[in-house]
Amino acid sequence: MKVLKFGGTSVGTVESLSHVKKIVESIEGNAVVVVSALGGLTDKLIATAYLAAEGNSEWHSEMDAIISRHMHIIENVISPERKNQVKKDVNDYLDELKRNYEGVELIRSLPSHILDIIVSFGERISSTIVAAMIKNGERHDSLEFIKTEKWFDKNIANRKLTDTLIKEEFKNLMPDEKAIVPGFISRDTETNEITNLGRGGSDYSGALIAAALDAEILEIWTDVDGFMTSDPRIVKDAIVIDHLTFTESMELCTFGAKVIYPPTIYPVFHKNIPIKILNTFNPEAPGTLITDSHHKDDLEVKGVSALKGISLLSFQILKADISEDIYNRALNSLSKNGVSIIPVANPDPYSELNFAVPEKDSIRSIDILAEEFAPEISKGKLGDFERKDKLAAVALVGERMKTKTRLAARIGHSLRRQGINIEAYSPGNSDTTIIFIVHEEKTSETVRSVHSMVYK
């Protein structure tokens, strides 16, 4: 069985939905189709919620626009015999959405659990429309089988329970049934409150379903022809990458390539289920295939991506006798507190340690480290922590990158000659990735320069 996921741009207009209908109805046998909210709608739902919380009456006109957009879609994609029922079902959701806005306006507050309910209506409505539009389409409510649990301040999938519920939900599909599923949304295992899997969570919904059902492939349908060697808005001659490994695709996404949501890869990677990135608006394009191992004709360097909003943390080691375990303690203390870390080279690990973290976590990271190393600081063995903000990580991703020390050195030398200061780098930290930390304002220039050196 195939699992397909269509993003917001794929289900956002009458024209794009006609492509979705053609693609899904061409599949022989059963398929599970995960859909996002209409393109841009999630942001609209959130913005309207904040207007209501402020007591700004403009939320009413925003609500009217939301209603009008969905009615326009229904009017143009649903067959006449089903139109009245679909309008009724969608209007029921829209009425409930409006009541939530009215409640928010009344209390002049927007609790997080209410916002979760509000944003869930995007996928709940889009899946209702798509299920009615597709021949043999049947809607399956992901609120019944995608379950989450709390991890720090995030909702993460309760994999064991979710796997069991997915298998039960889809074990008896009708012949040729196309099961339409709202992506992104879920329920808390303990409280049963509506939650979600985070921005990009529809990709993850598809991956959870594909893994639980041992699907033959997970197809991610979007508005690009596949992964590219760099962002084409920055690098005009970037090309589509035919094939990536799971690890390479994960690294490209982690460092800024916005093709798929990075956690998507984990569930299918462990089941060795291929992912195919395809273009809803150009379905004949071959796309990008993602599998577990390299192909003999793969590009040596798969791509150059960049992630802004990075901070570089550093601290002085004043007594060499503590240096051996200080780095691991620092990384472990940050990791267990949910901080993502980008390891970087430390030219002299006996006198100074450096590593990069998301800028949004930089102050919290220093607090965590100060607590971890309070005894050493009080005894004068560690100096003060320092941080540099407004940095970016530019990553080269490919095969056997750990062995490409000459390439890393050549790129570093060339960047410095161009006046691009390298704050830190990580040659040899990973088999798949070399990272250069530069100032944010130099991000595009760095990406273009590195891409031109790699793809001459």
Side-chain angles (χ1 to χ4, degrees):
M1 183 193 297
K2 287 184 176 182
V3 175
L4 298 81
K5 179 265 176 177
F6 290 92
T9 54
S10 297
V11 298
T13 66
V14 172
E15 178 191 4
S16 64
L17 282 164
S18 69
H19 291 294
V20 172
K21 178 177 172 66
K22 185 175 181 181
I23 291 165
V24 174
E25 291 183 350
S26 70
I27 299 170
E28 295 184 6
N30 296 128
V32 178
V33 179
V34 178
V35 295
S36 297
L38 307 189
L41 185 69
T42 300
D43 288 338
K44 170 86 80 173
L45 291 169
I46 293 170
T48 305
Y50 280 106
L51 287 175
E54 294 164 3
N56 188 329
S57 62
E58 287 184 16
W59 79 259
H60 291 279
S61 59
E62 294 297 307
M63 182 71 214
D64 289 341
I66 292 169
I67 295 170
S68 177
R69 184 179 181 191
H70 285 98
M71 290 301 118
H72 172 74
I73 294 284
I74 293 169
E75 197 62 44
N76 288 277
V77 305
I78 303 299
S79 60
E81 64 273 14
R82 304 194 71 177
K83 197 171 292 182
N84 286 339
Q85 183 60 52
V86 175
K87 283 184 177 180
K88 179 185 180 305
D89 293 341
V90 170
N91 274 319
D92 286 344
Y93 281 129
L94 292 169
D95 288 343
E96 189 179 348
L97 171 61
K98 188 175 183 180
R99 287 193 295 273
N100 275 277
Y101 284 142
E102 289 169 342
V104 167
E105 182 182 40
L106 183 64
I107 65 173
R108 292 291 198 275
S109 178
L110 184 57
S112 60
H113 71 281
I114 298 298
L115 184 59
D116 285 346
I117 293 171
I118 286 170
V119 297
S120 75
F121 285 101
E123 278 75 11
R124 292 157 86 181
I125 295 173
S126 66
S127 58
T128 299
I129 294 171
V130 172
M133 178 187 75
I134 300 292
K135 181 182 179 182
N136 297 325
E138 291 291 335
R139 184 176 182 274
H140 293 251
D141 189 357
S142 53
L143 295 176
E144 301 301 319
F145 50 84
I146 305 290
K147 302 296 181 180
T148 61
E149 54 193 352
K150 283 291 183 185
W151 186 73
F152 296 102
D153 60 342
K154 297 178 181 178
N155 297 304
I156 63 169
N158 180 332
R159 288 294 308 278
K160 186 175 181 180
L161 177 59
T162 294
D163 282 2
T164 299
L165 293 174
I166 289 171
K167 290 173 184 176
E168 184 67 24
E169 178 74 18
F170 297 103
K171 70 179 181 181
N172 292 316
L173 297 182
M174 298 295 290
D176 294 322
E177 179 183 330
K178 307 302 184 285
I180 312 300
V181 176
F184 173 68
I185 61 175
S186 48
R187 283 194 189 274
D188 185 88
T189 304
E190 297 296 327
T191 66
N192 211 37
E193 289 183 342
I194 290 177
T195 57
N196 60 67
L197 300 172
R199 299 307 290 262
S202 290
D203 287 352
Y204 193 42
S205 300
L208 291 171
I209 293 168
L213 299 180
D214 292 314
E216 63 183 86
I217 195 166
L218 170 62
E219 294 181 353
I220 305 289
W221 289 84
T222 181
D223 57 357
V224 295
D225 285 344
F227 274 90
M228 302 190 75
T229 52
S230 196
D231 186 338
R233 294 169 298 182
I234 298 174
V235 179
K236 301 303 181 187
D237 56 353
I239 59 172
V240 176
I241 306 167
D242 294 331
H243 175 260
L244 291 166
T245 65
F246 289 119
T247 303
E248 289 167 343
S249 63
M250 199 180 310
E251 290 287 274
L252 282 172
C253 289
T254 297
F255 290 101
K258 300 185 185 303
V259 182
I260 55 177
Y261 181 51
T264 299
I265 298 159
Y266 290 104
V268 291
F269 168 71
H270 291 296
K271 287 292 191 77
N272 197 18
I273 297 169
I275 303 173
K276 194 76 176 282
I277 310 299
L278 295 159
N279 191 342
T280 304
F281 305 91
N282 185 21
E284 292 77 24
T288 300
L289 179 66
I290 303 171
T291 64
D292 67 330
S293 57
H294 296 281
H295 289 179
K296 63 180 182 180
D297 54 350
D298 279 356
L299 293 169
E300 219 175 320
V301 178
K302 301 296 177 62
V304 181
S305 59
L307 181 66
K308 294 183 178 181
I310 298 296
S311 290
L312 186 66
L313 305 184
S314 62
F315 52 94
Q316 300 294 318
I317 298 175
L318 305 177
K319 295 292 178 81
D321 64 315
I322 66 165
S323 64
E324 288 193 10
D325 73 334
I326 211 83
Y327 187 68
N328 287 333
R329 281 176 60 193
L331 295 186
N332 288 339
S333 63
L334 292 173
S335 296
K336 73 182 182 182
N337 282 282
V339 177
S340 299
I341 304 148
I342 303 172
V344 296
N346 287 283
D348 186 359
Y350 293 97
S351 63
E352 183 179 0
L353 289 179
N354 304 277
F355 41 89
V357 299
E359 190 173 314
K360 64 182 177 62
D361 292 327
S362 61
I363 295 175
R364 184 166 71 94
S365 297
I366 289 175
D367 291 340
I368 292 167
L369 293 172
E371 182 178 352
E372 171 70 22
F373 296 115
E376 287 83 1
I377 294 170
S378 67
K379 294 175 183 177
K381 294 184 175 183
L382 284 180
D384 292 335
F385 299 102
E386 297 181 1
R387 84 175 198 272
K388 291 182 181 178
D389 295 333
K390 299 188 181 308
L391 303 177
V394 175
L396 287 77
V397 176
E399 184 179 0
R400 296 191 297 273
M401 298 302 283
K402 187 178 285 189
T403 66
K404 294 178 170 51
T405 53
R406 291 179 64 185
L407 174 63
R410 181 164 60 88
I411 290 172
H413 180 67
S414 177
L415 292 176
R416 291 186 185 95
R417 286 182 61 189
Q418 295 172 58
I420 298 173
N421 187 45
I422 299 170
E423 294 292 332
Y425 62 102
S426 65
N429 286 74
S430 166
D431 283 330
T432 56
T433 310
I434 297 172
I435 299 164
F436 295 93
I437 306 293
V438 299
H439 288 278
E440 273 189 350
E441 67 269 17
K442 294 287 187 178
T443 304
S444 295
E445 183 183 349
T446 304
V447 169
R448 282 192 289 268
S449 179
V450 172
H451 191 276
S452 67
M453 282 186 270
V454 172
Y455 303 101
K456 289 184 178 178

